[in-house]
């Protein structure tokens, strides 16, 4: 029995360690997947921001080119302003109008780009919060499962952390070992009782083993049965009475056999009687 219980304890411990390792591996894989997803999303956002930065740079380059061209035009107009004042003034006015329109269009594009960048940042923050929440929920689930497994292990083996089943002093495994030992002792006692009467022939009309309660016996107080013995109630002048209505034929069954065991150290005396006559009195010293 001890070897079987030890094997069970080792199997439970091995299963517990394997499941804990599986949970750790799963948590690591989930964290790695979440980190990879976050990095991929960040890379996409950074790529989009880089592309938009390139667009802004291109716009600035075009604007600078336009400014250079404008400066050249202004220089040309300055050279000819004295000869064609009206034409130069109209050209400058047109150029100023065009430049104002270009500046307004550029400002509008910059506003749109800023809104997109702000939205992308909000999406990044939302995704990050979602990833953190999912990671926290997963950690809580893993912790709850680990706590449940630890509780089961504690229920099975108590506070012991070893692998020797004989060293257990609490837990379900210890209770099972004690129950089995008690049952084995009771079975051994029953075998001993059977062996004691196997060497001679004894026919009986009624027999009581007291392995399933008082079996109909009553007395001065309620008797109790344990390990094959019937014990009278702990009262003054205790005694037990067999079930009624047995109708045993005295001519056919002329003997009454019983096993008497003294418990404790008090002096005691006993009387064995039937419904017709006193059969025997006996007394045992302390």
């Amino acid at each position: 029995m001890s070897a079987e219980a030890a094997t069970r304890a080792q199997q439970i411990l091995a299963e517990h360690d394997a499941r804990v390792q599986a949970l750790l591996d799963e948590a690591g894989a989930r964290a790695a997947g979440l980190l990879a997803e976050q990095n991929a999303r960040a890379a996409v956002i950074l790529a989009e921001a880089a592309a938009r930065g390139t667009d802004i740079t291109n716009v600035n380059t075009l604007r600078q080119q336009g400014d250079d061209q404008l400066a050249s035009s202004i220089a040309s107009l300055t050279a000819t302003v004295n000869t064609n004042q009206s034409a130069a003034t109209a050209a400058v006015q047109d150029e100023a109008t065009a430049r104002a329109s270009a500046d307004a269009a550029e400002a509008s594009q910059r506003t749109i780009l800023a809104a997109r960048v702000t939205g992308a940042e909000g999406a990044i923050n939302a995704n990050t919060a979602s990833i953190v929440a999912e990671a926290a929920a997963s950690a809580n689930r893993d912790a709850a499962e680990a706590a449940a497994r630890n509780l089961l292990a504690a229920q099975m083996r108590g506070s012991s952390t070893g692998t020797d089943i004989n060293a257990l002093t609490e837990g379900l495994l210890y209770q099972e070992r004690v129950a089995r030992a008690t049952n084995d002792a009771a079975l051994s006692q029953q075998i001993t009782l059977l062996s004691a009467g196997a060497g001679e022939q004894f026919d009986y009309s009624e027999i009581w083993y007291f392995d399933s309660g008082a079996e109909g016996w009553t007395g001065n107080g309620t008797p109790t049965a344990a390990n094959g013995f019937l014990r009278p109630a702990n009262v003054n002048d205790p005694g037990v009475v067999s079930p009624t209505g047995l109708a045993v034929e005295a001519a056919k069954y002329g003997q009454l056999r019983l096993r008497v065991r003294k418990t404790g150290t008090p002096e005691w005396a006993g009387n064995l009687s039937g419904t017709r006559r006193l059969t025997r009195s006996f007394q045992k010293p302390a």
Side-chain angles (χ1 to χ4, degrees):
M1 295 298 176
S2 298
E4 179 184 353
T7 301
R8 289 186 180 179
Q10 292 175 353
Q11 290 175 349
I12 292 172
L13 181 60
E15 179 183 358
H16 171 263
D17 293 340
R19 293 188 176 180
V20 169
Q21 186 60 44
L23 290 174
L24 292 176
D25 294 342
E26 180 182 356
R30 289 184 179 179
L34 293 174
L35 181 60
E37 180 182 0
Q38 181 178 3
N39 291 336
R41 292 180 178 177
V44 171
I45 293 172
L46 289 176
E48 181 180 358
R52 292 181 179 178
T54 300
D55 292 339
I56 293 173
T57 300
N58 293 335
V59 170
N60 289 335
T61 300
L62 292 175
R63 182 175 180 182
Q64 185 61 45
Q65 291 175 354
D67 291 341
D68 293 342
Q69 292 176 0
L70 178 60
S72 177
S73 298
I74 291 173
S76 298
L77 289 174
T78 301
T80 59
V81 69
N82 294 327
T83 58
N84 195 357
Q85 183 67 37
S86 297
T89 301
V92 170
Q93 184 64 39
D94 292 341
E95 179 63 24
T97 302
R99 183 171 182 179
S101 298
D103 290 342
E106 182 180 357
S108 176
Q109 291 297 322
R110 288 179 182 273
T111 301
I112 293 173
L113 179 59
R116 290 180 179 178
V117 171
T118 301
E121 291 177 351
I124 292 175
N125 293 333
N127 290 334
T128 301
S130 176
I131 291 171
V132 171
E134 181 178 355
S138 178
N140 291 336
R141 289 194 299 269
D142 294 343
E145 183 173 358
R149 292 181 185 278
N150 290 333
L151 177 60
L152 176 60
Q155 290 174 344
M156 293 299 295
R157 61 188 183 186
S159 60
S160 176
T161 58
T163 58
D164 185 5
I165 189 66
N166 294 318
L168 295 179
T169 58
E170 56 183 337
L172 296 179
L173 291 176
Y174 171 74
Q175 295 175 8
E176 180 185 8
R177 179 161 62 89
V178 172
R180 289 195 178 189
T182 302
N183 292 336
D184 291 345
L187 178 60
S188 176
Q189 187 174 27
Q190 291 297 324
I191 293 174
T192 301
L193 292 175
L194 292 176
S195 298
E200 58 181 289
Q201 180 66 31
F202 179 72
D203 295 331
Y204 57 85
S205 174
E206 298 289 340
I207 187 170
W208 297 273
Y209 295 104
F210 301 118
D211 56 358
S212 60
E215 300 183 13
W217 284 67
T218 57
N220 183 13
T222 303
T224 57
N227 298 326
F229 284 88
L230 182 67
R231 182 173 183 176
N234 187 16
V235 297
N236 293 328
D237 192 20
V240 291
V241 180
S242 67
T244 59
L246 298 179
V248 178
E249 298 180 20
K252 184 177 180 180
Y253 302 99
Q255 295 183 8
L256 175 65
R257 293 191 177 186
L258 69 157
R259 288 169 55 88
V260 180
R261 183 175 68 180
K262 176 185 175 183
T263 301
T265 58
E267 296 183 1
W268 59 278
N271 292 320
L272 178 64
S273 62
T275 57
R276 296 176 181 269
R277 60 189 175 90
L278 179 64
T279 302
R280 186 178 182 184
S281 297
F282 55 92
Q283 181 172 2
K284 186 174 181 180

